[in-house]
Amino acid sequence: METPDDVICDASAPCHAFIPGMSSAVPPTTPKSGKKKKAAGATVSGIDVAKDVDFARWYQQVLLKGEMIDYYDVSGCYILRPGSWEIWEILQDWFNSRIKLMGVRNCIFPLFVTEDLLNKEQNHVEGFSAEVAWVTQSGNTKLEKKIAIRPTSETIIYPYLASWIKSWRALPLRLNQWNSVVRWEFKNPQPFLRSREFYWQEGHTSHLTSQSADQEVLQILDLYSFLYRELLAIPTVPGRKTEKEKFAGADYTTTVEAYIPATGRAIQGATSHGLGKNFSKMFDIAVEAPWQDGSEERTLKTFVWQNSWAYSTRVLGVMVMVHGDDKGLVIPPRVAPTQVILVPVGITAGTPEDVKQGVLQCIDDIQKALQNDGIRTETDVREEYSPGWKFNHWELKGVPLRLEIGPKELETGLSSFARRDSGGKGSIPTPSVAAGVAELLKDIQSDMYARALAKFRDNLKIITKWADFAPAVNHKNLCLIPFCLQEDCEDKIKKLSEGTADSSTEYDARAPSMGAKSLCIPFKQPSELKDTNTPCLRDGCNRMAEKWCMFGRSY
Amino acid sequence: METPDDVICDASAPCHAFIPGMSSAVPPTTPKSGKKKKAAGATVSGIDVAKDVDFARWYQQVLLKGEMIDYYDVSGCYILRPGSWEIWEILQDWFNSRIKLMGVRNCIFPLFVTEDLLNKEQNHVEGFSAEVAWVTQSGNTKLEKKIAIRPTSETIIYPYLASWIKSWRALPLRLNQWNSVVRWEFKNPQPFLRSREFYWQEGHTSHLTSQSADQEVLQILDLYSFLYRELLAIPTVPGRKTEKEKFAGADYTTTVEAYIPATGRAIQGATSHGLGKNFSKMFDIAVEAPWQDGSEERTLKTFVWQNSWAYSTRVLGVMVMVHGDDKGLVIPPRVAPTQVILVPVGITAGTPEDVKQGVLQCIDDIQKALQNDGIRTETDVREEYSPGWKFNHWELKGVPLRLEIGPKELETGLSSFARRDSGGKGSIPTPSVAAGVAELLKDIQSDMYARALAKFRDNLKIITKWADFAPAVNHKNLCLIPFCLQEDCEDKIKKLSEGTADSSTEYDARAPSMGAKSLCIPFKQPSELKDTNTPCLRDGCNRMAEKWCMFGRSY
């Protein structure tokens, strides 16, 4: 059982760069049995359950008390409060700036779709039909035909592309929209991860050639990988979904898969699909090709190649699950709506008024200096709350850096700081506070990533014996296995790994014995398997392995 | 019949500043009967009907061919293509930056609302109930209780405010969301103006005192007025709605009213409502007041004062209707996604290759210089289209400024330009092209506003004789009349002005004989009426006038 090196995309190199050669060996995992569990209630500032004691309850509390969400009257729907929505806006701005450089243009299509259109691409609709919400009535009037609320927009957008794309010169046509979609699921809803309405961007693009389309699928996947790595400080494994797990109606699906250490489960981070000509043939999106049929010199009608790609507010849930701790949220600096909180300290009833005013003036000056450098800064000078209360309050909300200014700081000319991620404390010279803070925020960002990466690396195993598979999964690992890529084998692996967790490895009350499923075929393979006569890992499978495939329990 | 001066908000002074004193007299209107109408088909570049011949068809064509919208399979819904959505994004960015300075925070509430909650405030729900779209089914399963799609979010948001606002220290709490709402209307749908789904921002704020709430209502209205005036180059009249026309459930509604010269109709531009305590009492949103009951020194429970305010994609329709012409869209520079289009000219088959390359290089250099100065610039160097075709194409799309570069421009060191708004042509020195273009864009913006203002002024009349009212309305005027403010009188005025247009004044096939309704009570009154014993204008009304009220046909 080894840990591979290069499968996780942690460099800024394109995530699909194929890295040949086997990874270096890494010591086997030892079960983390010696870990002492904190008692419930030992945590401070409102979170009354430890992350490693009851993860599901911890997640709920941290979101509610950190003011990211609130529960809502319609089950499976959540209110995204400013604490989460402002992070989403930062991600939107960044993503918009990047896709606009690629020539993607934003637009918006209606929320509604007719039954006829929704049903047009059969494979596609089968992926959604059980979850579609239907409007059948307006006011007191029954509608003549029921109308669906979009579960995704392929069949909403594509009929119009047929009329807009009249010539190959209009290609590539790259559209994107930010909206919400509705999938009326009945499984356990969970904020950000599985909700009946969720927010996302959906890109829909059309290309003259498969090369152009394929290239874009990966360009976008690189953006998703970048978003996780550089903005959310989360490592992912980029790869391709198996046939079983691909998007309904797509030729192929690429994905970035993240890892939640606390539960040992993987989570699909974002997907970029090559739709091939499946939809363009259905919706007759075609142009006269600029090339000719060699033998007869006819112009050829050619259907366009299409892609669709999306990331959703799920990213916020992943961020919380990976970085949050027993004190509450921990927001990576690059996406934190408030990066620095300034708190006055050391002021008592006996503090002379001029010293108090000096402290407040200093806080004001620092805020201005930081804001001038583009650092998102807030102050908390409320007199009715103690410094200690404020520390807990802003820690709960995950603000990356706290600066404390008091009489001592005035005297020494140093500003005291406390890092949210590590709890690390120190001081920086007040005259150059902006530069010092910028440096600290950078450190926090990269340290957060490094910690998440280390945990992912520790729990990503190369498995070459079937007997090792279930135990590895049960110890919160994701597993790379030699795999035949066949759907029936995938089903069997899932079945065989169900219910294998015993009480000593029971860590997630909601999914104690869930089977492991295929997460992706990583672009960076530990080694080349094709034609090496390596058998598929599963006992009883007689086929040869085609690829290393990443398996694990998954959200 | 006079034209008032100060009613339209054209200065950057707060739109609610009360200007006492009568406006200066202005010559009476003469009917524009001498105007020669262009034949259909006389227009160029795709728009085959003149704006003043068939406005409704012109509007459709200019939106469709200018690639702002497309019609959609579900009637009353429209696709907002990048040509319009990118303008919306510019307006969003601007508005966000302004409200964030006021402490407003963005968030998002679900699309769905239960029947119980929707029905909670009776006056409110009556304003919407006939138009609510209901989800009754998911997949093949009938829902236990039908669920509404939000027609607006008061009853979605306010139950949660009760739990979030635990102390007066949390006030004011200012929330805003960008979303779409659904009102299943059966009247004539029209893109941007009246659609079953539309996009908007909705602000919802809570205050400790009525002063704080009232002040904000007007601050927001100032932003709306600013948005129309400075960004969309459209003058508006700010004022208060009559009781009859106010928002269902509000204490009072303020509005900015714009004017569409081509049809002589007013249009409600955006509204900011003081909700009083109507909703806070229903939803029990209360705090312990920081003041005490003087006599008994008890702490008092006090319900919060609330506001809601919104502007929608309707602003895009107003912009098109006011500025568009027979060549297509005319987009004000401040909101134009593409402000400048660069087109190579004067290149023929005989042009030496080095000259051609010089032209393309010059275009590239200019684009870079403009983009460096933050000017949104595109080039159209496609060889398969002639310069003339390109001119028409970009004029149809409303790009404010065209620069033409050819061998002549290389020689002279001057860049030729053509303004979209006026058709004005000239040249600017290429070495200082960015400064020259910035100046031109500023001129275009202010000239567009000045023209729209002149038209509004020309068609805003002070009416002091009942006999003048219907003729003025029929000649595309909005009318300021002394008015008793009573609902029954308003109804009668509407009725009495219905069907009064004869064939010579027939200008809008869709609403030939629509009655005039009250638009607003302008903040800037032509004169003080209270206690002046001025009778209400309407024949047969025996009450005294309370206020000058603006009446007119309206969208």
Side-chain angles (χ1 to χ4, degrees), chain A residues 269-418:
Chain A
T271 47
S272 179
H273 314 291
L275 304 180
K277 299 187 169 189
N278 300 332
F279 289 89
S280 65
K281 285 179 179 167
M282 281 297 160
F283 291 100
D284 197 26
I285 312 168
V287 295
E288 280 192 8
W291 54 76
Q292 294 189 320
D293 182 328
S295 55
E296 307 188 25
E297 302 216 345
R298 294 173 308 181
T299 48
L300 294 171
K301 176 176 169 176
T302 181
F303 292 101
V304 303
W305 296 85
Q306 294 186 279
N307 297 334
S308 70
W309 28 269
Y311 79 91
S312 77
T313 38
R314 160 173 283 207
V315 301
L316 301 176
V318 179
M319 179 194 77
V320 170
M321 289 184 161
V322 169
H323 298 303
D325 65 20
D326 290 352
K327 290 180 171 181
L329 298 166
V330 183
I331 316 285
R334 277 196 68 171
V335 299
T338 303
Q339 297 173 308
V340 179
I341 183 71
L342 278 160
V343 180
V345 294
I347 293 172
T348 63
T351 306
E353 186 60 24
D354 63 326
V355 173
K356 188 178 150 188
Q357 289 310 318
V359 167
L360 293 176
Q361 184 59 51
C362 179
I363 282 179
D364 203 47
D365 292 344
I366 292 177
Q367 181 178 31
K368 287 201 184 100
L370 295 182
Q371 286 177 337
N372 270 342
D373 275 22
I375 298 168
R376 298 183 288 269
T377 311
E378 277 189 54
T379 64
D380 189 348
V381 296
R382 294 176 291 181
E383 299 205 350
E384 59 271 27
Y385 298 104
S386 71
W389 186 94
K390 292 177 187 173
F391 294 176
N392 288 346
H393 176 75
W394 295 103
E395 281 171 358
L396 182 57
K397 292 193 161 203
V399 173
L401 190 67
R402 179 176 76 237
L403 289 185
E404 303 165 15
I405 307 295
K408 193 192 84 190
E409 282 74 16
L410 281 199
E411 253 176 56
T412 58
L414 294 170
S415 298
S416 302
F417 70 79

Side-chain angles (χ1 to χ4, degrees), chain A residues 118-143:
Chain A
L118 190 64
N119 289 341
K120 196 140 182 176
E121 216 284 354
Q122 270 308 314
N123 290 323
H124 177 67
V125 73
E126 278 166 22
F128 295 103
S129 60
E131 301 170 356
V132 171
W134 292 97
V135 175
T136 63
Q137 184 183 333
S138 75
N140 288 316
T141 314
K142 196 171 178 304
L143 298 186

Side-chain angles (χ1 to χ4, degrees), chain B residues 347-365:
Chain B
I347 293 171
T348 62
T351 305
E353 187 58 24
D354 64 327
V355 173
K356 187 177 152 187
Q357 289 310 318
V359 167
L360 293 177
Q361 185 59 51
C362 179
I363 283 180
D364 203 45
D365 292 346

Side-chain angles (χ1 to χ4, degrees), chain B residues 134-253:
Chain B
W134 292 97
V135 175
T136 63
Q137 184 184 333
S138 74
N140 288 317
T141 314
K142 196 172 178 302
L143 298 186
E144 262 181 60
K145 289 184 172 184
K146 65 181 179 183
I147 293 172
I149 301 180
R150 65 181 162 225
T152 179
S153 299
E154 279 76 4
T155 60
I156 290 177
I157 295 176
Y158 298 171
Y160 297 92
L161 297 182
S163 70
W164 297 343
I165 300 173
K166 288 167 187 156
S167 153
W168 61 268
R169 292 186 183 89
L171 299 174
L173 178 66
R174 309 184 209 244
L175 297 174
N176 178 67
Q177 59 181 1
W178 296 91
N179 58 13
S180 73
V181 292
V182 171
R183 299 180 188 172
W184 208 264
E185 302 193 69
F186 289 95
K187 296 182 207 163
N188 270 329
Q190 241 187 323
F192 299 123
L193 265 50
R194 188 181 294 281
S195 54
R196 285 180 169 170
E197 182 188 13
F198 61 89
Y199 309 89
W200 72 352
Q201 57 68 221
E202 48 176 329
H204 296 274
T205 65
S206 305
H207 304 256
L208 181 61
T209 65
S210 63
Q211 289 83 347
S212 169
D214 290 345
Q215 186 190 34
E216 187 200 75
V217 165
L218 294 176
Q219 278 180 321
I220 292 293
L221 199 73
D222 276 343
L223 289 184
Y224 292 151
S225 159
F226 189 100
L227 182 149
Y228 270 99
R229 188 177 64 244
E230 302 292 330
L231 278 75
L232 299 174
I234 291 171
T236 60
V237 172
R240 183 172 164 141
K241 288 281 183 189
T242 59
E243 287 300 298
K244 178 178 160 64
E245 293 290 337
K246 76 179 184 186
F247 178 65
D251 267 9
Y252 66 95
T253 288

